[in-house]
């Protein structure tokens, strides 16, 4: 007998386990509109409070995946790798990771996301390259993978429509941070491309969606386990987001930093995260790529050439890529240390929020030239008057500069955090 929405809601409200048919009824209700918004919102809240077990989470993921197109790219492209980051501030890892692995012979396909809350979106960063287009279909993706070994796009409207509906309601009902809902949402889109393996970069610390270690670790484990349960090789790294990653925060500036990294001038912390994720991903598809191999494709210029080839294939202007340069936003402000001490803490989430609002017009249009240069790192010794950060804003904004300066705390204690806390496989 098919349960009614009322019965399903009642079961979950009381903390009971839903059957596969019941979970799929919810997904179907979201995708086809047979459940109205109050019913879906009530279900989301019941799940946020009562949770979903591993089996229910897998059914939810499978249901949302099946609600839309599935590209199954691995049928045409073997050893295909995908990567997912839970998001952070200054996180441009995907832009460097993809050409590095492609240059080593491993194809990478990623449907990237837009900015979410305080975190920057890889899709928005890629679109700051003049001409780049991210709307691709399966056929174009297979061609790009065969020719260049990289595809970076955005999910089409037809991928996981049930997630689109539920995500919008989660945003309005304060249920965004429910781990089973996050897992279902991320994986329903990730699995739709159909890579052979996914490596997850789950961020921990003040700029992460889940700043607390225990939450981030649980999310990482659930992403890995659910992917494996659904037949995809997966592992995850818990990596540090207690300060901006690398030197720059800002769309165009992060693309320029990507070029620096691919030319062998990358920030060591950022490069370590990229290398560790690339090694992990290679291992998942049975490849023996070593650190030396990754360093060699940077030294030879092959990784940089791959990135340029990818950008051109997805529409970028050749003239820009010959000598990449962007004008940074015109109003410069320097944040200086006001005392001796150690860089002790960074309110990375607040930096993300302040930079996100600085770069957006009231209509939501992103100005990619708004940027922040992070000039020190946690644990560094600082002297009064030393530059901590440099801002590039569209117009003078003393209030914002003051709010940003409060994000950097100098104290008598402070140390460099680990970069990779743990691997979950
Ligand atoms: N990204 C998603 O796609 N969904 C979530 O729930 C969180 C991050």
């Amino acid at each position: 007998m098919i349960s009614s929405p009322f019965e399903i809601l009642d079961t979950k409200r009381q903390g009971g386990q839903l059957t596969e048919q019941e979970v799929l009824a919810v997904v179907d209700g979201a995708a086809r509109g047979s459940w109205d918004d109050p019913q879906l919102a009530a279900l989301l809240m019941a799940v946020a409070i009562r949770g979903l077990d591993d089996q229910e989470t897998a059914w939810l993921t499978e249901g949302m995946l099946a609600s839309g197109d599935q590209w199954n790219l691995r049928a045409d492209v073997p050893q295909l790798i995908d990567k997912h980051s839970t998001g952070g501030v200054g996180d441009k890892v995907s832009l460097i990771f993809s050409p590095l692995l492609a240059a080593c012979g491993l194809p990478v396909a990623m449907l990237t996301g837009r900015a979410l809350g305080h975190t920057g979106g890889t899709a928005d960063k890629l679109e700051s390259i003049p001409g780049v287009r991210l709307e691709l279909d399966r056929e174009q993706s297979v061609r790009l993978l065969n020719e260049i070994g990289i595809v970076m796009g955005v999910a089409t409207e037809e991928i996981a429509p049930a997630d689109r509906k539920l995500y919008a309601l989660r945003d309005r009902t304060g249920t965004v941070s429910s781990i089973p809902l996050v897992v279902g949402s991320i994986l329903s889109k990730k699995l739709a491309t159909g890579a052979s393996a996914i490596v997850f970069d789950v961020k921990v610390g003040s700029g992460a969606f889940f700043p607390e270690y225990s939450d981030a670790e649980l999310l990482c484990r659930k992403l890995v386990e659910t992917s494996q349960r659904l037949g995809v090789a997966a592992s995850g790294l818990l990596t540090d987001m207690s300060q901006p990653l690398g030197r720059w925060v800002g769309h165009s500036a992060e693309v320029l930093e990507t070029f620096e990294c691919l030319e062998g001038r990358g920030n060591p912390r950022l490069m370590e995260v990229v290398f560790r994720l690339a090694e992990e991903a290679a291992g998942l598809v049975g490849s023996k790529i070593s650190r030396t191999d990754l360093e060699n494709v940077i030294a030879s210029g092959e990784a940089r050439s791959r990135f340029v080839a990818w950008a051109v294939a997805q529409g970028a202007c050749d003239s820009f890529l010959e000598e990449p340069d962007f004008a940074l936003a015109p109003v410069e402000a320097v944040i200086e240390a006001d005392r001796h001490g150690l860089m002790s803490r960074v309110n990375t989430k607040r930096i993300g929020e302040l930079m996100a609002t600085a770069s957006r017009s009231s209509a939501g249009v992103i100005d990619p030239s708004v940027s922040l240069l992070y000039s020190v790192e946690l644990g560094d010794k600082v002297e009064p008057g030393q530059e901590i950060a440099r801002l590039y804003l569209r117009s003078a904004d003393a209030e914002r500069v003051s709010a940003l300066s409060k994000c950097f705390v100098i104290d008598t204690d402070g140390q460099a955090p680990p970069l990779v806390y743990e691997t979950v496989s």
Side-chain angles (χ1 to χ4, degrees):
M1 215 185 62
I2 298 172
S3 312
S4 67
F6 181 86
E7 285 164 331
I8 295 172
L9 284 168
D10 203 41
T11 302
K12 195 39 82 183
R13 184 179 61 78
Q14 296 186 58
Q17 197 207 31
L18 302 179
T19 64
E20 179 174 11
Q21 213 183 28
E22 288 170 334
V23 173
L24 296 182
V26 176
V27 174
D28 198 57
R32 291 168 189 255
S34 55
W35 279 45
D36 60 25
D37 285 2
Q39 289 171 323
L40 290 171
L43 190 277
L44 291 171
M45 187 55 81
V47 167
I49 294 167
R50 295 296 196 169
L52 292 179
D53 68 17
D54 292 351
Q55 181 60 73
E56 291 173 301
T57 306
W59 286 329
L60 175 72
T61 307
E62 277 184 305
M64 294 206 295
L65 172 65
S67 73
D69 284 359
Q70 294 179 57
W71 289 5
N72 191 21
L73 291 173
R74 64 177 175 265
D76 291 282
V77 185
Q79 288 192 305
L80 183 61
I81 289 169
D82 193 352
K83 164 190 168 292
H84 180 81
S85 163
T86 55
V89 178
D91 180 5
K92 69 279 293 173
V93 170
S94 293
L95 281 67
I96 310 158
F97 170 97
S98 307
L100 262 189
L101 281 177
C104 291
L106 291 178
V108 181
M110 250 184 255
L111 294 184
T112 60
R114 301 278 168 199
L116 201 57
H118 68 282
T119 66
T122 298
D124 302 320
K125 292 171 196 178
L126 293 171
E127 280 179 349
S128 72
I129 302 173
V132 160
R133 286 187 311 270
L134 299 176
E135 288 79 16
L136 301 166
D137 59 22
R138 184 184 191 280
E139 202 184 315
Q140 291 165 316
S141 300
V142 171
R143 187 174 47 75
L144 281 165
L145 287 167
N146 285 330
E147 287 172 6
I148 295 156
I150 306 172
V151 60
M152 289 191 274
V154 284
T156 63
E157 292 281 309
E158 290 74 33
I159 287 179
D163 175 64
R164 193 163 309 110
K165 175 70 191 172
L166 291 177
Y167 193 87
L169 282 173
R170 282 166 61 206
D171 207 29
R172 286 163 52 203
T173 52
T175 54
V176 168
S177 62
S178 152
I179 287 186
L181 295 178
V182 173
V183 170
S185 170
I186 291 175
L187 290 187
S188 61
K189 288 167 291 196
K190 280 278 128 183
L191 299 179
T193 44
S196 314
I198 309 177
V199 65
F200 295 98
D201 180 7
V202 177
K203 304 291 189 188
V204 187
S206 63
F209 262 109
F210 291 95
E212 294 303 322
Y213 195 87
S214 54
D215 295 334
E217 199 266 341
L218 179 63
L219 173 62
C220 190
R221 208 149 33 79
K222 295 297 170 196
L223 285 167
V224 169
E225 286 172 4
T226 310
S227 303
Q228 290 171 344
R229 204 180 244 263
L230 299 178
V232 178
S235 67
L237 267 57
L238 284 148
T239 71
D240 185 63
M241 187 39 75
S242 56
Q243 58 186 330
L245 186 56
R247 287 172 3 98
W248 287 94
V249 179
H251 297 80
S252 305
E254 290 189 44
V255 171
L256 286 186
E257 189 174 8
T258 296
F259 277 97
E260 281 177 17
C261 294
L262 294 174
E263 289 163 5
R265 295 178 287 120
N267 169 272
R269 286 176 58 248
L270 167 60
M271 289 313 296
E272 181 63 22
V273 173
V274 174
F275 286 140
R276 291 286 296 273
L277 284 162
E279 287 161 358
E280 189 65 30
L284 285 174
V285 293
S287 159
K288 298 243 176 318
I289 287 171
S290 66
R291 177 70 61 103
T292 312
D293 297 326
L294 296 168
E295 286 167 348
N296 283 347
V297 293
I298 292 180
S300 68
E302 179 56 24
R304 186 189 191 283
S305 304
R306 283 293 166 131
F307 186 69
V308 171
W310 162 81
V312 170
Q314 287 193 210
C317 314
D318 290 356
S319 56
F320 164 77
L321 293 162
E322 273 162 28
E323 214 161 311
D325 197 12
F326 289 109
L328 297 173
V331 178
E332 230 174 293
V334 177
I335 294 173
E336 294 175 350
D338 57 358
R339 71 194 75 178
H340 289 283
L342 297 170
M343 185 49 59
S344 180
R345 288 183 307 286
V346 177
N347 187 342
T348 315
K349 179 176 182 188
R350 187 80 185 120
I351 293 175
E353 286 166 352
L354 288 161
M355 294 308 293
T357 47
S359 65
R360 271 182 189 72
S361 71
S362 49
V365 179
I366 292 174
D367 179 340
S369 69
V370 171
S371 332
L372 176 146
L373 173 63
Y374 179 49
S375 314
V376 295
E377 291 185 358
L378 283 173
D380 284 358
K381 220 165 154 181
V382 293
E383 303 292 337
Q386 184 180 333
E387 178 175 318
I388 292 178
R390 185 173 286 256
L391 303 166
Y392 298 85
L393 302 173
R394 282 180 295 177
S395 51
D397 188 346
E399 224 174 288
R400 191 176 304 273
V401 176
S402 162
L404 276 159
S405 70
K406 293 194 180 85
C407 294
F408 303 95
V409 180
I410 298 166
D411 212 330
T412 48
D413 62 336
Q415 51 188 321
L419 268 173
V420 178
Y421 293 89
E422 194 183 331
T423 302
V424 176
S425 53

